[in-house]
Amino acid sequence: MSYCEKSYPTEPTAPTVTTTQIPGPASTKAIENLGKVFDARPCYFVADYEKSIGNYIVDLDGNTFLDLYAQIASIALGYNNPDLIKAAKSPEMIRALVERPAIGNFPGKDLEGILKQLLKFAPKGQDHIWSGLSGADANELAFKAAFMYYRSKQRGYNTEFSTQENESVMDNVSPGSPSLAVLSFKKAFHGRLFASGSVTCSKPIHKLDFPSFHWPHAEYPYYQYPLDKHTAENKKEDDRCLQIVEKLITSWEVPVAALIIEPVQSEGGDNHASAYFLQKLREITLKHNVVYIIDEVQTGVGATGKFWCHEYANITPPPDLVTFSKKFQSAGYWFHDPQFIPNKAYRQFNTWCGDPARMIIAGAIGQEIVDNKLVDQVQRVGKYLIDELAKVSEKYPQYLQRLRGKGTFIAWDLPTGEQRDLFLKKLKLNGCNVGGCSDKSVRLRPTLTFEEKHVDIFIAAVNKTLKDF
Amino acid sequence: MSYCEKSYPTEPTAPTVTTTQIPGPASTKAIENLGKVFDARPCYFVADYEKSIGNYIVDLDGNTFLDLYAQIASIALGYNNPDLIKAAKSPEMIRALVERPAIGNFPGKDLEGILKQLLKFAPKGQDHIWSGLSGADANELAFKAAFMYYRSKQRGYNTEFSTQENESVMDNVSPGSPSLAVLSFKKAFHGRLFASGSVTCSKPIHKLDFPSFHWPHAEYPYYQYPLDKHTAENKKEDDRCLQIVEKLITSWEVPVAALIIEPVQSEGGDNHASAYFLQKLREITLKHNVVYIIDEVQTGVGATGKFWCHEYANITPPPDLVTFSKKFQSAGYWFHDPQFIPNKAYRQFNTWCGDPARMIIAGAIGQEIVDNKLVDQVQRVGKYLIDELAKVSEKYPQYLQRLRGKGTFIAWDLPTGEQRDLFLKKLKLNGCNVGGCSDKSVRLRPTLTFEEKHVDIFIAAVNKTLKDF
């Protein structure tokens, strides 16, 4: 019995779309009403989560879509998962919701168990966790850890702050508030607050009008596909980008304290970094005392066919900090060097320090993935999916360019952004909810419970869409 | 029947402390274990939230404290509130936990109702909301709204971005990423991320080693108490600080786009701003086209005797943005001018745009406060509490200096930080959990369900503590 047969016995056998437009009339009216109290302009449709099940999302018009977007890559197990419902109804959850604790000062007796449950799913080489609330929050908390670590290496971990540091920091000037940078990559997406916004660089609309830190953006390798037919060019591309990274680190106007990278740039167009590239970054960061941060916010939690995508690269020694959010429903960073715990209490601190309610859900998601070997399933289904897409690509090479992916974390390009948008729109009318990324890419982000039967439905919808395209 | 009699029939009639130290042996062991997976250095004790009830928090040693700290001022209604438990068990909540939606793209049918429920509790003059995840997040989202608004006033709300803006922003430079500042106040606390950290200025430990924006800090008025005996000096102090504000706005190295202020600086020492001061800031910000942001993260949701503390000042026209978090368990900002909704979709956007699970709790908290007239109760109990404290102050003037407060949001100073810390330690052993703020202040932050009977217990504990002090 497959996972979906077991967990979603009432999952539909096929999508049904009965309206001629998406959003349909009921969604359109609901969006209009919602627009009076909320910025509803980006809404695709209004969902009925009561009726959504497994890999299918239902809208207010009763349209039932096979969901390969999954709340912007944030649903690991599908809708109305019985094990998550159980976790949501647990006494531990009720307490976490009603007695939201300031876990730094007054942790509850449940906290140790909640954290230990999460630590079972740490990336290879990591054995500590610090919790936050969102991907942007996780990355900024990681930056704080990185800056403290970087300065503690200069100052000495146990050295007291100087009077000058204690005074100058209150005026937001050096040395207490040092001029240091985080290096990221062009097309990167790491969140939309001010420090995370400064390392984000995928689209102007995310950043316009906000002051930012003047931090450098290196170039992320852009490969030719299929990879096995372009080994030499892609290696050359890696080396070109590595040179840029090292040059920026050694020549930027302020010292570079940390480097942050997505193993696959997601919002930026599903650009993959090779194992070679990610390993070389480890060598460069060690050489120049730069903290190495891997952002697994979108790539983490199984969809790439590894629990954590950077495990494909077997980075040695492991990266210093690994951030997570989205499909874990919670957020935070992993680390292994205990000196990433600052020398004094209250330096990495805030009122809530994360949300135990969301951590409980994360623990239940991780357990379900492991117990049901869903990462293995993603590898198997992903292989089937990309092979089937390769067949479609042979028929319609112009509409499936640069087909690429790991697990079910797959993307391809259309010739233009207009065509991509039209393709996604028609695909919705053919029953599949899919998202785009960057200018002209299609990104698939199904849940980990996506099975071969769903692949067949999706491929049929793609073929149908392209037939009259 | 009082609120506590109705909602907490099993609430203890008095605290009990059976250990000779806090944390006691069971808590100490639990903290040690927790310390292996978490930064447990700031833990006061490990709580048993199953046994905690109403205004009493129970620790692992069975000590039962009257809680006047309430998770760093974050519990509105007390522990194990039956109405919140009901909300936590609702089908709507289960959906919000299990189907965490990307509410910007795929809002659920519940969202409109959830937001409308929150809007019932908007501050006077505000009728829109944008949701976030924490106080720091709320403030940074408000800064984004403020910067977009500020630039849209210069550019024209519907004017397209220039090519130069679209290009320069990708390099984190002007004009796409403009050099603009947010003005805050010395001793302010607005959060601990990078932009919120740049306006925070209460203690070096919050900020050391982090790069920051070079933004200005004005002076916050420091009053003589009791207020009615120092009208002239305090007015002079207001005017002195207002002059500094205006001078910084007109002379800072980059334009000041926004001003953020707490109506009572909490972390910074329970410094209150007068209605006159807050109103004059409205005039100055209007005169210089500066967005006026009130941070109600700690002061909001009733504890000051108004639902929103700045309503005491009757600021006219109302402030542009009001941020909230803590006792609402959710976070975000209120506004009224529709031009604070950016001209294009996806400018104020992120994957989750808040957490419906936490918004449901906020809605239930607000409803419970209104239905039970708990803000009126806070006024009544607060008056009784401060009058009783004034009597203690007459007996021990050296240990209750500058007694001040609104509602039950009350503070006083001890002569030194060491004495304050010792006082709080002994007070815990006498059954009351109370926090400090700034260098030498005691801050009371009981829930809104604190009643006269709790005041009597607390005053007895203070007297007992000071008797042998």
Side-chain angles (χ1 to χ4, degrees), chain A residues 44 47 49 71 80 99-100 102 106-107 144 155 172 177 192 198 207 209-210 212 329 342 346 355 358, chain B residues 47 49 71 80 99-100 102 105-107 144 155 172 177 192 198 207 209-210 212 329 346 355 358:
Chain A
Y44 289 106
Y49 291 111
Q71 309 302 324
N80 279 298
E99 270 66 69
R100 186 170 193 171
F106 306 100
K144 288 177 63 174
R155 181 195 291 116
N172 293 348
S177 174
R192 306 174 59 143
S198 301
K207 295 165 65 84
D209 290 348
F210 308 140
S212 59
Q329 300 283 289
Y346 287 105
D355 185 343
R358 291 296 176 190
Chain B
Y49 290 112
Q71 310 301 325
N80 279 298
E99 270 66 70
R100 186 170 193 172
N105 279 164
F106 305 101
K144 288 176 64 173
R155 184 196 289 115
N172 294 347
S177 174
R192 306 174 59 143
S198 301
K207 294 166 64 85
D209 290 349
F210 308 139
S212 60
Q329 300 282 289
Y346 288 106
D355 186 341
R358 291 295 177 190

Side-chain angles (χ1 to χ4, degrees), chain B residues 16-26 59 61-63 65 428-429:
Chain B
T16 48
V17 175
T18 57
T19 64
T20 52
Q21 300 249 331
I22 312 293
D59 74 11
D61 293 280
N63 295 317
F65 305 95
K428 258 193 203 74
L429 287 166

Side-chain angles (χ1 to χ4, degrees), chain A residues 33-34 37-39 41-50 60 69 71-72 74-75 79-80 84 88-89 94-109 112 115 119 130 133-134 137 140 143-144 147-148 151 155 161 165-166 169-173 176-178 180 192-195 198 201-205 207-215 217 325-326 329 341-347 349 351-352 355 357-358 433, chain B residues 33-34 37-39 41-50 60 69 71-72 74-75 79-80 84 88-89 94-109 112 115 119 130 133-134 137 140 143-144 147-148 151 155 161 165-166 169-173 176-178 180 192-195 198 201-205 207-215 217 325-326 329 341-347 349 351-352 355 357-358 433:
Chain A
N33 288 335
L34 185 58
V37 291
F38 187 67
D39 183 0
R41 289 170 295 180
C43 295
Y44 289 106
F45 51 76
V46 174
D48 187 331
Y49 291 111
E50 210 174 332
L60 286 193
Y69 199 18
Q71 309 302 324
I72 320 183
S74 293
I75 301 287
Y79 298 105
N80 279 298
L84 293 196
K89 289 180 172 174
I94 307 300
R95 279 198 290 282
L97 284 171
V98 174
E99 270 66 69
R100 186 170 193 171
I103 65 174
N105 280 164
F106 306 100
K109 62 178 178 181
E112 188 191 342
L115 290 170
L119 281 164
W130 186 253
L133 294 167
S134 68
D137 192 42
E140 298 213 356
F143 296 166
K144 288 177 63 174
F147 287 126
M148 289 187 279
R151 288 287 295 126
R155 181 195 291 116
F161 304 112
E165 284 176 320
N166 278 314
V169 73
M170 299 306 265
D171 293 326
N172 293 348
V173 296
S177 174
L180 296 171
R192 306 174 59 143
L193 298 175
F194 288 84
S198 301
C201 185
S202 48
K203 285 182 188 145
I205 197 79
K207 295 165 65 84
L208 280 157
D209 290 348
F210 308 140
S212 59
F213 291 109
H214 191 226
W215 290 348
H217 305 134
S325 182
K326 283 197 180 263
Q329 300 283 289
I341 300 167
N343 63 344
K344 288 176 191 288
Y346 287 105
R347 298 191 68 192
F349 186 87
T351 299
W352 288 325
D355 185 343
R358 291 296 176 190
N433 184 42
Chain B
N33 288 334
L34 185 59
V37 291
F38 187 67
D39 183 0
R41 290 171 294 181
C43 294
Y44 290 104
F45 51 77
V46 174
D48 187 333
Y49 290 112
E50 211 174 333
L60 286 193
Y69 200 18
Q71 310 301 325
I72 319 181
S74 294
I75 300 288
Y79 298 106
N80 279 298
L84 293 196
K89 290 181 170 174
I94 308 299
R95 279 199 291 282
L97 284 171
V98 174
E99 270 66 70
R100 186 170 193 172
I103 64 174
N105 279 164
F106 305 101
K109 62 179 176 181
E112 188 191 340
L115 289 170
L119 281 164
W130 185 252
L133 294 167
S134 69
D137 191 42
E140 298 213 357
F143 296 166
K144 288 176 64 173
F147 287 126
M148 289 187 279
R151 289 285 297 125
R155 184 196 289 115
F161 304 113
E165 284 175 320
N166 278 312
V169 74
M170 298 307 264
D171 294 325
N172 294 347
V173 296
S177 174
L180 296 172
R192 306 174 59 143
L193 297 175
F194 288 84
S198 301
C201 186
S202 48
K203 284 182 189 147
I205 198 78
K207 294 166 64 85
L208 280 157
D209 290 349
F210 308 139
S212 60
F213 291 109
H214 191 227
W215 291 347
H217 306 135
S325 182
K326 284 197 179 266
Q329 300 282 289
I341 301 167
N343 62 345
K344 287 176 191 288
Y346 288 106
R347 298 191 68 193
F349 186 87
T351 300
W352 286 326
D355 186 341
R358 291 295 177 190
N433 184 42

Side-chain angles (χ1 to χ4, degrees), chain A residues 50-62:
Chain A
E50 210 174 332
K51 295 186 181 151
S52 302
I53 180 86
N55 290 278
Y56 287 87
I57 185 168
V58 178
D59 74 11
L60 286 193
D61 293 280

Side-chain angles (χ1 to χ4, degrees), chain B residues 330-359:
Chain B
S330 180
Y333 61 85
W334 308 103
F335 62 106
H336 56 94
D337 181 343
Q339 293 216 341
F340 277 100
I341 301 167
N343 62 345
K344 287 176 191 288
Y346 288 106
R347 298 191 68 193
Q348 186 73 296
F349 186 87
N350 55 64
T351 300
W352 286 326
C353 300
D355 186 341
R358 291 295 177 190
M359 290 188 228

Side-chain angles (χ1 to χ4, degrees), chain B residues 264 272 296 298-310 312 327 375 378-379 405-409 448:
Chain B
V264 182
H272 291 243
E296 289 263 17
Q298 186 152 169
T299 49
V301 192
T304 65
K306 295 271 184 191
F307 207 108
W308 303 99
C309 180
H310 74 280
Y312 275 109
K327 270 195 286 295
V375 178
V378 165
Q379 289 197 357
K406 292 184 174 81
T408 56
F409 202 99
L448 276 62

